[in-house]
């Protein structure tokens, strides 16, 4: 015979509520410990009792998990504050893709492609220049 389900609602009897709180708090800590042991997760639980007493549990420690959480939150806020660079991208162009383009759209794409080709040429020249420098350096060493 299995356990019977209980209705989840606030317990009115103070003694029963404190007893349930203690058992469930211990169960929560047990589950957190198992999660840490089985999966290597960093876990922290902070619980305030009905009498406003604070209980904490943490693996490896509450302080380390809370500090990591706060650090992650701070980094996320900084990333959100930084202006996002909007890059204009060229979709893959094919005959079907540009068939419906108007004259101003075709001119815009042409300008973007010209900029792209210029950057490719500069990058290629830079790579070739670096390879020549490396070859010269190697020849000096020999």
């Amino acid at each position: 015979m299995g356990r019977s389900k209980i209705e989840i609602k606030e317990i009115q009897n103070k003694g029963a509520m404190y007893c349930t709180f203690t058992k469930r708090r211990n169960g929560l800590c047990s589950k957190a410990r198992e999660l840490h042991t089985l999966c290597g997760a960093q876990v922290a639980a902070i619980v305030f009792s009905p009498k406003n007493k604070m209980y904490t549990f943490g693996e490896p420690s509450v302080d380390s998990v809370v500090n990591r959480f706060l650090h992650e939150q701070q980094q996320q806020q900084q990333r959100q504050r930084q202006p996002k660079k909007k890059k204009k991208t060229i979709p893959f162009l094919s005959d079907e893709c540009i068939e419906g383009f108007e004259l101003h759209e075709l001119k815009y794409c042409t300008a973007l492609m010209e900029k792209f080709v210029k950057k490719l040429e500069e990058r290629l020249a830079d790579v070739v220049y670096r390879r020549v420098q490396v070859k010269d350096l190697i020849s000096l060493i020999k």
Side-chain angles (χ1 to χ4, degrees):
M1 187 179 268
R3 294 183 180 175
S4 61
K5 285 193 166 198
I6 61 163
E7 185 179 351
I8 301 297
K9 65 176 184 175
E10 187 175 352
I11 300 171
Q12 300 301 319
N13 180 324
K14 295 288 185 189
M17 180 177 57
Y18 296 140
C19 181
T20 300
F21 172 81
T22 301
K23 288 180 182 179
R24 296 231 174 198
R25 184 195 70 222
N26 292 338
L28 176 66
C29 292
S30 175
K31 291 293 183 184
R33 186 176 298 108
E34 289 172 11
L35 185 61
H36 171 72
T37 302
L38 294 172
C39 304
Q42 293 183 1
V43 182
I46 302 171
V47 181
F48 288 90
S49 74
K51 293 182 178 180
N52 290 324
K53 184 175 179 185
M54 183 175 73
Y55 295 90
T56 60
F57 172 82
E59 287 288 347
S61 72
V62 174
D63 288 339
S64 67
V65 176
V66 170
N67 286 337
R68 180 177 176 189
F69 172 79
L70 294 174
H71 180 71
E72 294 285 334
Q73 290 292 311
Q74 195 175 39
Q75 283 185 332
Q76 185 178 20
Q77 289 173 354
Q78 287 174 350
R79 283 191 298 266
Q80 288 174 348
R81 286 187 201 128
Q82 292 175 348
K84 294 180 182 176
K85 295 180 182 178
K86 293 184 179 179
K87 292 185 178 182
K88 293 184 179 179
T89 59
I90 302 173
F92 179 73
L93 297 178
S94 64
D95 291 343
E96 298 84 19
C97 182
I98 62 172
E99 197 167 310
F101 279 20
E102 306 236 352
L103 180 61
H104 72 279
E105 293 170 315
L106 290 170
K107 286 181 178 179
Y108 177 72
C109 284
T110 302
L112 285 177
M113 291 171 83
E114 288 171 352
K115 286 180 185 178
F116 181 71
V117 168
K118 185 178 179 183
K119 285 184 181 182
L120 277 176
E121 290 171 343
E122 291 171 355
R123 178 72 177 124
L124 179 62
D126 185 52
V127 169
V128 169
Y129 177 72
R130 288 181 188 200
R131 284 189 181 168
V132 168
Q133 284 181 326
V134 169
K135 285 181 182 179
D136 288 346
L137 184 62
I138 291 172
S139 67
L140 288 174
I141 293 172
K142 289 183 178 179

